[in-house]
Amino acid sequence: MSKKTKLLIIGSGPAGYTAAVYGSRALLKPILLQGIQPGGQLTITTEVENWPGVKEIQGPDLMVNLEEHAKVAGTTIINETVNKLNLKKYPFIAISDNGTEYEADSIILATGAQAKWLGLKSEDKYKGFGVSACATCDGFFFKNEVISVIGGGNTAVEEALFLTNFAKKIILIHRRDNLRAEKILQKRLFSNSKIEVIWNSVVKEIIGTENPLSVKGIRIQNLSNDKETELSCKGVFVAIGHAPSNELITDQLELHNGGYVVTRPNSTETSVPGVFAAGDITDFKYRQAVTAAGMGCMAALEAEKFLSEQK
Ligand code: NDP
């Protein structure tokens, strides 16, 4: 099956849905393909306290609201994932996982980012058996256990705080001697008696049993004196940042800073005219829901301008 559209939006985080609202209001009748995780990263977080105008909302609820808004505005939202994208042809061609071919006069790429891993063999081995990158998904399995959280940014601190709902103790392991996370989150972390922070340390190995596969602990190295120590824990949550989800376009668009899509200054225009990038796929600096939404708005306005100039 093949479908034609003036504007194809790929991705369903704050950038994609905001682009959809603006694209619909410009009467471009956008089609939005949601991808493998409809709603994106916010669907695996808990409270969001920095979306302006809403003091507190659960991440999944915020994404349901955004989806509903995009739908009501006039976007056709389809639960498919793009497997192949051809930006060398015009109109552009996207092929989804069920084989549908989308022919698009313009594209907004809003595929976001995904969690990074430490890259240890033992991490790979115990993924899903005690090693996770999603506290909201897997925290429940560690009731009254000791859990390690790796990282020093907002995600690590939020995950550590969330995991105190289940675990008896959380050990946060950070490679430096101060955290990158927002001060308000740090304050909550330091005042929580269930959380211990181990500074200047990195994980060298995740230790576990073979049959059944399960985590028993971790071996960490103190970077100030190179000393290695083993700690007992049943769960390891890796929260060391995110990498852009750029698989569709690695050899088609200009990239920089470890795979983020290059956009022109103060614009969402990419190296291919008619293709715009918004949110975590291009933003290596702010990476906030609200900045992603702002870029989604810019991308839709720029797509509209591009399309009107084509005529
Ligand atoms: P960040 O990039 O902010 O932090 C990653 C952390 O992991 C850093 O402390 C970093 O250490 C550490 N790290 C990176 N690589 C390694 C490694 N190989 N081994 C050990 N530690 C490592 O990522 P986050 O996922 O925390 O946040 C991403 C973005 O999303 C940020 O802009 C953040 O503000 C935002 N965010 C906002 C939230 C909110 O507003 N509520 C919630 C969650 C995320 P170092 O500090 O030494 O570089």
Side-chain angles (χ1 to χ4, degrees), residues 41-42 45 47-50 116-118 150-158 173-176 178-182 185 201-203 239-242 280 284-289:
Q41 292 177 67
L42 278 170
T45 62
E47 290 91 14
V48 176
E49 297 174 352
N50 51 14
K116 282 204 277 200
W117 295 96
L118 295 165
I150 323 300
N154 274 1
T155 305
V157 172
E158 283 193 342
I173 293 152
H174 183 38
R175 63 183 179 183
R176 289 187 300 122
N178 60 73
L179 299 173
R180 186 182 288 277
E182 282 174 295
L185 291 174
S201 297
V202 291
V203 179
I240 59 166
H242 293 85
D280 285 9
F284 52 87
K285 191 168 174 193
Y286 302 106
R287 296 174 294 186
Q288 302 297 303

Side-chain angles (χ1 to χ4, degrees), residues 140-158:
F140 181 79
F141 300 116
F142 300 96
K143 266 191 176 160
N144 296 320
E145 302 286 2
V146 178
I147 299 177
S148 301
V149 175
I150 323 300
N154 274 1
T155 305
V157 172
E158 283 193 342

Side-chain angles (χ1 to χ4, degrees), residues 3-8 28-31 102-106:
K3 292 182 183 169
K4 276 181 173 224
T5 180
K6 284 187 212 147
L7 173 60
L8 183 69
L28 298 176
K29 297 197 182 126
I31 292 180
Y102 295 88
E103 194 184 296
D105 297 334
S106 66

